[in-house]
Amino acid sequence: MKKNKSLVLWFGDVGNDEVELVGGKNASLGEMYQVLSKTGVRVPNGFIVTAYAYRDFIEKAGLSEKIKTLLESMNIDDIKSLSKTGAKIREMIRNAEFPAELNSEIIEAYKKISKEIGEKNGSVAVRSSATAEDLPGASFAGEHETYLNVSGDKYVLRAIKMAMASLFNDRAISYRVHKGFGHLDVALSVGVQIMVRSDKGSSGVMFTVDTESGFENVLQISAAWGLGEMVVQGKVNPDEYLVFKAKLGDKFSPVIKKTLGAKRRKMIYSKTAARPVKEVPNTLADRNLYVLSDQEILQLAKWGVIIENHYSKRYKKYTPMDIEWAKDGKTGDIYIVQARPETVQSEENRLSIKEYSLKTSEKPLVEGIAVGTKIASGRAKVIASVKGIQNFKEGEVLVTKITDPDWEPIMKKASAIITERGGRTSHAAIVSRELGIPAVIGASGAMNRIKDGLVVTTDTSSGTVGYVYPGKLDWKETVHELSSIPKTKTKVSMNVGSPEGSFIHARIPNDGVGLAREEFIIASQIKIHPNALIDYKKLPTQLKKKIDKLTLGHSDKKKYFVDKLAEGVGQIAAAFWPKQVIVRFSDFKTNEYATLVGGSLYEPEEENPMIGWRGASRYAHPDFAEAFKLECQAMLKIRNEFGLDNLAVMVPFCRTPEEGKGVLDIMKEAGLGRGKNGLKVYVMCELPTNVIRADDFLDIFDGFSIGSNDLAQLTLGLDRDSAIVAGISNENDPAVRDSVSRAIKACKRRKKYIGFCGQAPSDYSDFLRFLIKEKIDSVSLIPDSVIPMKFEISKEEKLNDSK
């Protein structure tokens, strides 16, 4: 038999010219088995029932014309018609008999694979792949069926036939119309692969790109106990890991974020051949454990990069990948079981940026994982199960517990999707990305809190957290053509507080980060006073319980603080790497620190916290020095473990050089010495004393970053929180300008860094002109201001050059 008419091919026999014969996904399995296994990537062996075998079966069973007639009479916009037609075609295929030759070849191949497994009836996975599926520009989550833990001739033959019939699932028919593929132009192959015993181990999904922002330098891994269908179908909230690709190697361990998932249930083998898998609850101990070790995360990440590089070379363009993996619980070995090109970010237009912004004081009804970076409004349609999809109308917001591929016919009609369950790699998340609609996934309580018929606004524009608000809110959409944004001599960097939006913001033309704040990370992610974590064993029982709940997966409470702060700041440093990112050490006031869990035990009550125990005076104080060392350890982890040496640090509110020396001594004691491995240590210039004694401060620090809010407050004697005196003056006051000018000149004279972080240049155009005239090195702004201010700065620079 000619090779292009092969009924069955082993993975090792699939060539580059046979993608049409075996489908994109199964071709990749064959290719990875042959080529990538030589680089250390593990792929389980298997065989493929080819697309030729499928077509031969359909022709010999006399089904082609019958299928064609049924499809021509179907109304694709009528869900009942679609459902009825699909069901009839699938039934015809399932009831037809395989040709004797195909039947024989499948059984012979299955016996051979069982022998390799070492069992009479080996356990296999049966995976489908259409000839138009899983290619760049056309990939759909769960378009066709997969069957796990299939064993025995009878059940393998049945699973292959059911996989073939799934070419005419309702969602597959609808998807082909959506993508413009002819129904009879597409064939389907079926891969039969040795099962990895992940039922006793773990499994999940890996994307070699940030799926929301398209940021190319990170890799996302989702992981859960048991078989991978739970993650793929979104039935479980998995662990999530983020790896910085640029620093992967033997020297660094760049796992820059780890999120513990709920992992309430898992899928394992059952003892019934007719129903080979079942769902069971996880133990509380397993739920509170991370599924993968750092070493395993890094191993997967390295394989992900190898696979991405291979297919990028193959397609002659950057090709991020969507990969499924499984860990064998018996051997501990990890395998790649499936790979396909990611089809959303790889097709994105990189020449322009579309920004969505929503300003509201409304309290969200629910929040969850943000999918996409858009905002949409619509009338909520709460649907309990797929049986209720017939009444869904175009433009409504779908609210449900979870979706699977059977929901696809209405998902493309939705303005937004909200699910109570699932993770970043769940079915609802993947389909929403492909359709280009915002989704909020894992929004607990959504079906109760969002009433059917209520108009809501879904916002996924600000980072990794998505929000659903009541009512139709106004938002702004702005498109920026990157080629039109001017370059400037003055560096324009960003002020960043939340790591969640950093990958999105990094796409805006910038010169790094002039001010990264720790406060948001400590308040919203860590939530516990560092001294309470240091003194954990001495705390009252009730407070310990509260801390235990927040620190699941961390027995070492001090390490929890270090890890979570490092993860938050590390994401910002990774987003802007290799550009400089200046992180300011924590600048909470006593009243703000007191709101953290356990904070009231450690914070004094002050009449005026704004000029009280904050900044440098806090770090050097015996009551806080050990807590400050935890911050230093986090910065050290980012630089030495993650490999992000673009990170610089900054000391706020430093009243005297002597106080500054005390802080530098503690930093050195913690291993974070100024100048060590090129570490830059800056100081905020926000007090009159910083200007008056500029040379003394510049003797011990690497430069200034001018903080105009506090400098104006303390120069003018204005309480910036007082509305009564707010109108007297502002940063544009001549006295403040004089201080700014002196600070700039001092740094220029000493050849030290001088930057400005504050909104004054955005708020007062003449203040911007003043800074440009003074030749400030860098202006750091909130992300929304960066692009418009680049035009203003360019204009001012041209005016100055012409004089």
Side-chain angles (χ1 to χ4, degrees):
M1 182 171 289
K2 292 180 182 178
K3 193 147 190 177
N4 66 350
K5 291 187 177 180
S6 298
L7 299 175
V8 172
L9 281 174
W10 286 91
F11 284 178
D13 295 330
V14 177
N16 290 346
D17 58 343
E18 288 164 325
V19 173
E20 284 300 313
L21 187 63
V22 299
K25 184 163 57 189
N26 284 333
S28 72
L29 279 174
E31 187 172 356
M32 286 193 298
Y33 182 79
Q34 296 171 58
V35 180
L36 299 183
S37 59
K38 295 173 185 176
T39 67
V41 178
R42 290 193 200 96
V43 182
N45 195 11
F47 63 88
I48 298 165
V49 180
T50 67
Y52 171 77
Y54 163 81
R55 284 197 168 103
D56 185 59
F57 160 50
I58 295 298
E59 286 297 325
K60 287 179 178 175
L63 297 179
S64 293
E65 285 303 315
K66 293 178 182 178
I67 291 171
K68 183 179 179 182
T69 300
L70 284 168
L71 290 170
E72 285 174 349
S73 65
M74 174 192 68
N75 179 359
I76 191 67
D77 296 318
D78 183 340
I79 291 174
K80 287 183 180 179
S81 174
L82 170 63
S83 180
K84 187 177 178 181
T85 302
K88 279 185 179 179
I89 296 173
R90 293 193 299 274
E91 185 180 14
M92 287 192 308
I93 294 173
R94 287 195 298 263
N95 290 337
E97 293 294 328
F98 277 149
E101 186 181 6
L102 176 59
N103 217 68
S104 175
E105 286 203 29
I106 291 171
I107 290 172
E108 185 183 340
Y110 175 61
K111 284 180 179 175
K112 186 176 176 182
I113 211 169
S114 292
K115 188 176 180 181
E116 185 175 332
I117 295 169
E119 297 175 3
K120 182 181 178 182
N121 292 312
S123 175
V124 294
V126 177
R127 305 178 185 277
S128 57
S129 177
T131 52
E133 181 193 7
D134 301 318
L135 298 171
S139 178
F140 193 84
E143 185 181 344
H144 308 110
E145 300 295 349
T146 293
Y147 301 95
L148 303 177
N149 187 30
V150 182
S151 60
D153 295 355
K154 171 185 171 183
Y155 292 107
V156 169
L157 288 166
R158 187 180 76 167
I160 291 170
K161 196 179 292 182
M162 289 170 69
M164 289 179 172
S166 74
L167 187 62
F168 295 96
N169 282 337
D170 298 354
R171 71 264 189 181
I173 296 170
S174 176
Y175 178 71
R176 286 194 291 274
V177 173
H178 175 66
K179 280 291 184 181
F181 295 124
H183 296 295
L184 299 178
D185 295 332
V186 177
L188 186 136
S189 71
V190 181
V192 179
Q193 185 181 44
I194 294 173
M195 274 293 294
V196 176
R197 291 304 303 267
S198 57
D199 63 304
K200 293 181 177 293
S202 58
S203 52
V205 176
M206 170 167 56
F207 284 96
T208 63
V209 66
D210 179 61
T211 50
E212 310 319 320
S213 67
F215 183 64
E216 298 175 8
N217 242 340
V218 291
L219 182 147
Q220 299 174 325
I221 300 172
S222 297
W225 303 115
L227 300 171
E229 286 300 289
M230 295 292 282
V231 177
V232 173
Q233 293 174 14
K235 289 185 174 182
V236 65
N237 291 338
D239 290 350
E240 293 188 347
Y241 313 114
L242 199 64
V243 181
F244 185 56
K245 290 193 292 190
K247 290 293 182 175
L248 268 174
D250 297 332
K251 188 176 178 182
F252 300 112
S253 179
V255 183
I256 62 172
K257 187 180 182 183
K258 294 168 70 174
T259 304
L260 189 71
K263 308 184 296 288
R264 294 182 182 277
R265 299 180 69 78
K266 65 180 176 179
M267 184 180 285
I268 60 170
Y269 288 6
S270 73
K271 296 179 180 178
T272 309
R275 299 187 67 182
V277 295
K278 63 181 180 180
E279 291 181 29
V280 296
N282 276 317
T283 65
L284 184 61
D286 280 348
R287 287 173 55 193
N288 292 339
L289 282 176
Y290 284 109
V291 170
L292 295 175
S293 67
D294 280 10
Q295 185 178 355
E296 290 168 332
I297 294 167
L298 293 170
Q299 178 183 332
L300 270 172
K302 288 172 185 176
W303 287 358
V305 170
I306 289 170
I307 294 168
E308 179 185 77
N309 289 342
H310 177 82
Y311 284 98
S312 295
K313 188 176 180 181
R314 153 71 73 81
Y315 294 119
K316 295 182 174 60
K317 68 170 187 172
Y318 169 63
T319 305
M321 298 296 289
D322 170 359
I323 301 164
E324 291 181 33
W325 61 270
K327 178 184 175 183
D328 193 307
K330 284 187 169 183
T331 65
D333 291 334
I334 296 176
Y335 294 84
I336 300 299
V337 296
Q338 198 162 287
R340 58 168 77 85
E342 190 276 345
T343 58
V344 178
Q345 296 301 338
S346 60
E347 302 297 315
E348 276 287 303
N349 174 16
R350 300 290 174 193
L351 301 177
S352 65
I353 299 173
K354 189 170 188 178
E355 288 185 291
Y356 291 76
S357 58
L358 173 68
K359 306 291 184 186
T360 181
S361 58
E362 287 280 355
K363 186 178 178 182
L365 296 167
V366 293
E367 60 182 67
I369 297 168
V371 174
T373 56
K374 296 181 178 180
I375 304 172
S377 291
R379 195 172 299 280
K381 187 65 179 176
V382 182
I383 304 177
S385 75
V386 75
K387 293 177 183 177
I389 67 175
Q390 289 87 352
N391 298 321
F392 191 83
K393 295 183 178 65
E394 188 90 30
E396 289 184 322
V397 175
L398 174 60
V399 183
T400 189
K401 183 165 287 187
I402 188 172
T403 68
D404 62 30
D406 290 326
W407 291 77
E408 190 274 335
I410 68 163
M411 293 173 83
K412 64 185 181 184
K413 297 180 180 180
S415 60
I417 295 171
I418 301 155
T419 66
E420 290 190 328
R421 288 160 58 184
R424 207 170 293 284
T425 55
S426 66
H427 172 266
I430 292 171
V431 174
S432 297
R433 283 187 204 104
E434 178 157 326
L435 294 174
I437 58 177
V440 179
I441 306 298
S444 180
M447 294 180 72
N448 289 327
R449 294 177 196 164
I450 302 173
K451 302 303 178 187
D452 189 64
L454 177 70
V455 174
V456 296
T457 298
T458 304
D459 178 14
T460 62
S461 66
S462 56
T464 58
V465 181
Y467 304 94
V468 182
Y469 297 98
K472 187 179 189 305
L473 305 181
D474 293 327
W475 68 85
K476 184 180 177 184
E477 297 179 21
T478 310
V479 178
H480 303 287
E481 297 298 330
L482 296 184
S483 60
S484 69
I485 299 171
K487 293 183 178 179
T488 59
K489 297 175 190 173
T490 307
K491 290 184 177 180
V492 182
S493 53
M494 292 191 197
N495 297 339
V496 180
S498 167
E500 277 72 22
S502 55
F503 295 152
I504 297 170
H505 295 146
R507 284 193 64 195
I508 299 169
N510 68 83
D511 294 299
V513 174
L515 175 62
R517 299 181 179 92
E518 291 184 5
E519 293 81 34
F520 178 86
I521 299 164
I522 294 171
S524 66
Q525 296 180 17
I526 297 173
K527 300 180 181 179
I528 306 164
H529 196 288
N531 277 336
L533 294 166
I534 292 169
D535 295 338
Y536 172 77
K537 292 180 181 178
K538 304 175 189 175
L539 299 176
T541 302
Q542 285 304 112
L543 186 53
K544 278 185 180 178
K545 286 181 179 178
K546 199 170 184 179
I547 290 173
D548 287 342
K549 193 173 180 181
L550 291 169
T551 58
L552 288 174
H554 289 80
S555 56
D556 185 332
K557 305 306 177 185
K558 289 190 286 186
K559 192 172 184 298
Y560 165 80
F561 185 94
V562 172
D563 288 349
K564 290 303 167 187
L565 184 57
E567 287 173 11
V569 176
Q571 285 174 73
I572 300 171
F576 293 88
W577 182 87
K579 299 167 187 172
Q580 179 173 256
V581 170
I582 303 172
V583 62
R584 184 181 69 189
F585 288 120
S586 63
D587 194 23
F588 280 133
K589 291 75 178 172
T590 49
N591 58 322
E592 294 166 336
Y593 257 122
T595 63
L596 298 175
V597 173
S600 60
L601 297 176
Y602 301 98
E603 297 299 323
E605 288 190 18
E606 294 184 306
E607 289 295 324
N608 192 346
M610 191 70 74
I611 55 173
W613 194 34
R614 60 178 286 205
S617 63
R618 176 179 282 270
Y619 311 148
H621 197 282
D623 290 345
F624 198 79
E626 292 305 310
F628 177 60
K629 286 179 184 177
L630 297 184
E631 293 185 43
C632 294
Q633 288 169 30
M635 300 308 112
L636 203 60
K637 180 173 183 174
I638 294 165
R639 288 177 58 85
N640 293 357
E641 190 173 317
F642 297 169
L644 293 164
D645 55 5
N646 60 320
L647 185 78
V649 296
M650 183 157 62
V651 177
F653 223 79
C654 187
R655 294 174 171 94
T656 68
E658 293 72 27
E659 194 174 56
K661 287 176 185 174
V663 172
L664 291 170
D665 287 344
I666 295 171
M667 288 174 59
K668 188 174 182 180
E669 191 179 323
L672 195 69
R674 176 186 168 220
K676 188 175 181 180
N677 297 324
L679 175 67
K680 298 285 187 183
V681 183
Y682 303 115
V683 65
M684 289 289 294
C685 179
E686 55 191 343
L687 303 165
T689 184
N690 300 137
V691 178
I692 295 166
R693 299 187 65 185
D695 281 318
D696 294 333
F697 280 101
L698 293 172
D699 283 342
I700 60 171
F701 290 108
D702 293 301
F704 281 165
S705 182
I706 300 169
S708 58
N709 290 339
D710 275 329
L711 187 60
Q713 174 180 232
L714 296 166
T715 300
L716 300 167
L718 292 175
D719 182 348
R720 73 188 204 202
D721 290 336
S722 172
I724 297 173
V725 298
I728 295 174
S729 195
N730 52 48
E731 297 98 316
N732 215 13
D733 189 277
V736 180
R737 281 197 182 198
D738 183 67
S739 292
V740 170
S741 178
R742 287 168 180 257
I744 293 172
K745 286 180 172 63
C747 288
K748 291 288 182 182
R749 187 173 63 251
R750 299 287 298 272
K751 296 188 167 124
K752 301 257 183 167
Y753 169 83
I754 178 67
F756 187 97
C757 52
Q759 275 305 103
S762 301
D763 295 340
Y764 314 109
S765 57
D766 54 338
F767 194 88
L768 172 67
R769 288 192 288 273
F770 158 69
L771 289 176
I772 302 303
K773 187 179 178 182
E774 292 288 331
K775 299 192 183 318
I776 190 111
D777 290 348
S778 171
V779 177
S780 190
L781 307 163
I782 62 171
D784 289 352
S785 299
V786 169
I787 291 176
M789 291 309 297
K790 269 188 165 283
F791 285 98
E792 292 299 320
I793 291 169
S794 175
K795 186 167 69 175
E796 290 303 322
E797 287 179 344
K798 286 176 183 176
L799 283 173
N800 282 340
D801 289 345
S802 65
K803 291 177 182 177

